[in-house]
Amino acid sequence: MIEIDLSDSEIVTLRPHGRLSEEDFTNLAKAIDERINETDRVPNLVIRVDGLPHWDSIGALARHFHFVQVHQKVVRKVAIVGDSPLLAFAPEIADHFVAARIRRFPAGKLAEAQAWARAEGDDSGHFEEIEGLPRDVIALRAVGVITGDDYRDTLMPMVEERLKTHDKLKCLIVLGEEYATYTGDAAWADLRLGLSHWNTFTRMALVTDIGWMAKAARLFSPLMPLEVEVFGLDAIEDAKSWIKR
């Protein structure tokens, strides 16, 4: 079923779970269309994905596609909130097929997702440098919505500048309460950075309480040509001590 929350005058929050039926999508389309007629404006959508729902029939799948086909032309922004690793590249993929701007947020960032959906712009974030560490350590705190521009304008120039005086570098990244999400182009920028500097970094410390990110880092760390450690936000000083070794 799809729970539909119409309590906010600017956005509609959806929570699909379990088996999704034709009736669910019919009711959803009716609710969105009635909101548009009542307010004379198209609401942006926030979709909470606690697990991965599924369609109960081919008819439900067809109704879902029809809903997206009709409403993606008018809905400007869609925030997807959930921790499933399968959602990681959903915004990047969907941006190629629908007109709406799509962003993915961790499950604990529902309020931030709703604020982004209400805002006129994309509310881009930035990297903040963490001071007090050796010059061979690139230490950054992610704030807000991280985009590919943040990699191109901040992180990559910092890497090139530090390589003028150091053969090898280390990296410490903090994803704390100020962090909201990253965009698809930021993910690709991160991949390109890793490929172009695959032997530049000797250590990376990830400091976060975001469960799926911590699990993904631990899962893929054996495949990476550097030491990787994951720390909780309450262990940031331990992360700083480790990265300096």
Side-chain angles (χ1 to χ4, degrees):
M1 65 176 297
I2 302 176
E3 297 177 19
I4 305 172
D5 182 356
L6 300 168
S7 60
D8 193 300
S9 61
E10 298 181 82
I11 62 175
V12 174
T13 301
L14 310 176
R15 189 178 183 183
H17 54 87
R19 293 163 59 87
L20 305 182
S21 67
E22 290 187 62
E23 184 180 7
D24 288 327
F25 292 104
T26 299
N27 292 337
L28 175 58
K30 180 180 178 181
I32 298 298
D33 291 342
E34 287 180 351
R35 168 62 67 86
I36 294 172
N37 291 331
E38 290 172 0
T39 62
D40 199 28
R41 61 180 297 180
V42 181
N44 291 326
L45 303 181
V46 176
I47 305 175
R48 298 178 57 185
V49 184
D50 301 324
L52 291 179
H54 56 281
W55 304 280
D56 68 359
S57 66
I58 295 298
L61 174 62
R63 181 65 67 177
H64 187 177
F65 285 167
H66 181 264
F67 172 82
V68 173
Q69 181 183 30
V70 172
H71 290 84
Q72 63 92 9
K73 299 174 183 177
V74 291
V75 174
R76 295 182 300 106
K77 299 168 78 173
V78 179
I80 302 174
V81 184
D83 282 343
S84 171
L86 296 177
L87 298 174
F89 288 96
E92 177 69 10
I93 295 171
D95 277 349
H96 292 290
F97 296 96
V98 300
R101 174 66 68 183
I102 297 177
R103 293 285 176 259
R104 184 268 179 96
F105 293 77
K109 298 289 185 177
L110 176 61
E112 287 82 353
Q114 292 172 327
W116 174 82
R118 294 188 195 98
E120 285 298 321
D122 205 14
D123 289 346
S124 295
H126 60 278
F127 286 120
E128 289 181 354
E129 186 173 5
I130 300 172
E131 304 289 346
L133 290 167
R135 291 291 295 171
D136 66 337
V137 176
I138 292 179
L140 298 171
R141 178 179 288 103
V143 177
V145 179
I146 300 299
T147 70
D149 288 341
D150 297 308
Y151 277 80
R152 290 185 287 271
D153 298 341
T154 302
L155 183 52
M156 292 178 183
M158 187 178 294
V159 170
E160 298 299 332
E161 181 64 27
R162 299 291 175 88
L163 284 175
K164 293 178 181 179
T165 54
H166 297 84
D167 293 331
K168 298 293 183 179
L169 301 175
K170 304 169 186 176
C171 183
L172 183 149
I173 298 292
V174 178
L175 306 179
E177 291 298 321
E178 307 89 350
Y179 168 76
T181 188
Y182 63 88
T183 64
D185 69 328
W188 293 121
D190 185 65
L191 178 60
R192 288 194 297 271
L193 176 65
L195 292 175
S196 61
H197 292 282
W198 68 274
N199 64 343
T200 294
F201 293 91
T202 60
R203 283 191 165 194
M204 184 185 79
L206 174 64
V207 183
T208 186
D209 286 341
I210 301 173
W212 76 268
M213 281 194 170
K215 291 178 182 177
R218 293 188 179 102
L219 177 64
F220 290 107
S221 61
L223 306 177
M224 302 173 71
L226 73 164
E227 292 182 77
V228 179
E229 287 289 338
V230 181
F231 300 84
L233 292 176
D234 60 351
I236 188 170
E237 294 305 320
D238 293 336
K240 291 179 179 179
S241 297
W242 181 81
I243 203 70
K244 289 188 290 186
R245 294 176 193 169

